[in-house]
Amino acid sequence: MRDAMSDQSISEIRRDLAAAYRLIALEGMDDGIYTHISARLPSGPGGEQRFLLNPFGLRFDEVTAANLVTVDETGAVIDDPYGAGVNAAGFTIHSAVHMARHDAVCVLHTHTVAGVAVSSNQEGLLPLNQWSAQFYDRIAFHDYEGIALNLEERARIVADLGDKSVMLLRNHGTLLLGRSVAEAVKLALNLERSCKAQVAALGMGLTPVVLGHDIAEHTASQYQSMYDSYEQKGKPDPEWAAQLRRLDASAPGYLG
Ligand SMILES: [Zn+2]
């Protein structure tokens, strides 16, 4: 497994995580002060685990690279430039996933209308289009147990996730893991488009054309190869560079 920290500096991770909050807000995929996006930092001088999280109570469009809070795996604050602390309860799912999945730099959780709608159906996400084919046979599910605060559910979430990077939280939302912040955001944006398209297609009252196994699997493999080229081979990622330029133009304060 690749060392997730090998080729990104702390300042780049802070920039990318702030960009993630701003992009999710720009796309209307935030939910007030709820849901979180977290990023793993390189271990501290004593080998301690460190993660970045948004300051408690800030909207996603108020998050900057400079005001992100550093916490340990329990959500205890290590560094807090803004001084508002973090929502430690909201970090419980993230910390469990981070501790189980060292291949993931970023854990991104959303409550979007389309994501919740698709998660609420038994069939989950169908391979109805190019976006959703990316996720074919690659989605984990976790059944709803109420607001996720207890330690026992953390273990079940990790077990349900297994080695997948995309999970539909039944009746609740979505969870994405990225080998970089950029990858988690790209997955989240494509999953959202997939869910919106499914809601639209199934709402037309006509007969949807569901892609067959072979073509859906082929398409998912194509996406996987493209993503691997950025994450494993260090190829420059023009999609993420374009998203950062989008923020330079529309939210220039995101670096703080
Ligand atoms: Zn949630």
Side-chain angles (χ1 to χ4, degrees):
M1 192 173 289
R2 164 182 178 262
D3 177 354
M5 295 290 102
S6 59
D7 52 10
Q8 264 209 314
S9 69
I10 290 176
S11 64
E12 285 174 330
I13 297 171
R14 294 188 77 98
R15 175 201 66 193
D16 286 354
L17 186 60
Y21 278 97
R22 295 303 187 100
L23 289 164
I24 293 296
L26 271 177
E27 295 287 344
M29 294 168 61
D30 50 342
D31 180 14
I33 64 167
Y34 301 106
T35 83
H36 300 282
I37 314 169
S38 57
R40 173 186 292 278
L41 288 174
S43 301
E48 64 271 26
Q49 304 285 324
R50 301 185 301 182
F51 305 93
L52 288 173
L53 200 62
N54 54 320
F56 181 71
L58 290 192
R59 301 187 312 269
F60 280 23
D61 63 291
E62 296 174 313
V63 172
T64 70
N67 69 24
L68 289 165
V69 185
T70 306
V71 298
D72 69 13
E73 70 273 19
T74 70
V77 171
I78 296 172
D79 176 57
D80 184 6
Y82 184 71
V86 295
N87 180 356
F91 186 59
T92 54
I93 293 177
H94 291 250
S95 67
V97 173
H98 277 300
M99 297 312 288
R101 290 287 301 273
H102 286 243
D103 56 323
V105 165
C106 184
V107 177
L108 193 164
H109 174 43
T110 73
H111 303 157
T112 68
V113 173
V116 171
V118 171
S119 82
S120 306
N121 282 289
Q122 193 66 44
E123 291 80 359
L125 187 70
L126 300 169
L128 287 172
N129 52 67
Q130 181 167 280
W131 293 314
S132 55
Q134 174 179 8
F135 303 103
Y136 179 70
D137 203 22
R138 285 158 175 77
I139 295 182
F141 293 91
H142 175 70
D143 287 340
Y144 189 63
E145 300 186 23
I147 295 172
L149 299 177
N150 70 67
L151 295 178
E152 294 76 25
E153 184 175 5
R154 287 163 40 121
R156 285 190 289 276
I157 288 171
V158 166
D160 286 341
L161 178 64
D163 63 358
K164 292 195 165 63
S165 297
V166 182
M167 185 152 73
L168 290 180
L169 302 163
R170 294 279 193 203
N171 314 94
H172 174 185
T174 73
L175 192 73
L176 295 311
L177 278 64
R179 291 169 285 183
S180 63
V181 174
E183 184 173 57
V185 173
K186 290 186 296 183
L187 288 171
L189 297 183
N190 277 1
L191 183 63
E192 177 70 359
R193 293 179 184 109
S194 304
C195 291
K196 283 180 171 174
Q198 178 163 321
V199 170
L202 298 188
M204 295 170 76
L206 302 174
T207 307
V209 177
V210 181
L211 297 174
H213 167 81
D214 288 352
I215 190 64
E217 178 58 37
H218 172 62
T219 307
S221 298
Q222 290 178 309
Y223 271 103
Q224 189 69 50
S225 297
M226 180 172 67
Y227 281 39
D228 285 350
S229 71
Y230 302 131
E231 303 302 330
Q232 296 178 339
K233 298 170 191 162
K235 190 174 148 191
D237 182 348
E239 182 178 348
W240 187 244
Q243 293 288 17
L244 294 181
R245 291 198 308 277
R246 179 184 179 194
L247 290 177
D248 290 340
S250 62
Y254 82 99
L255 295 174

